[in-house]
Amino acid sequence: MSDSNINSIQKVRHGKLLDINCPSRQVLQHIASRWGILVLIALDKDTLRFNELRKKIVGISEKMLSQTLQTFEKDGFIHRTMLPVMPPHTEYSLTPLGLEVYQQVIQLSDWIEHNLPRVLEASGNDQE
């Protein structure tokens, strides 16, 4: 790898997330979207078909699931496998990169669920 390639990667890797021109913002938007996080959690270490994912993620529309899966496939987080059967079946699973993102997201998700009573209390929405 040339020095210029390494410098380009370092600039992106050490980008300024708060800068509107930082390319990491787009990836953050994909991951941190409402449906993005839920798709990552739903896939976990499973391989699921579209309808299985849709049933698992209650409330997601076909359109939003399709868009999220396409975005994550472009980002390299999801592997899509089309099976040669009739009718056609498509399976989705996390790539190694997707599993890394999942590990980060699940920590945040676990923290939220663990601390939900405190958050609800702080926001005045304590539901006893």
Side-chain angles (χ1 to χ4, degrees), residues 1-6 9:
M1 187 176 277
S2 72
D3 287 341
S4 63
N5 286 344
I6 292 171
I9 291 170

Side-chain angles (χ1 to χ4, degrees), residues 73-85:
E73 186 179 10
K74 287 178 188 171
D75 289 342
F77 300 143
I78 287 181
H79 178 71
R80 180 172 57 111
T81 304
M82 295 184 67
L83 302 173
V85 296

Side-chain angles (χ1 to χ4, degrees), residues 51-88:
N51 286 331
E52 292 172 321
L53 267 172
R54 189 155 176 245
K55 286 177 187 174
K56 198 169 182 180
I57 306 170
V58 178
I60 193 168
S61 68
E62 281 188 32
K63 178 182 176 183
M64 289 311 303
L65 179 55
S66 180
Q67 286 178 356
T68 303
L69 291 169
Q70 288 173 5
T71 298
F72 277 177
E73 186 179 10
K74 287 178 188 171
D75 289 342
F77 300 143
I78 287 181
H79 178 71
R80 180 172 57 111
T81 304
M82 295 184 67
L83 302 173
V85 296
M86 286 308 248

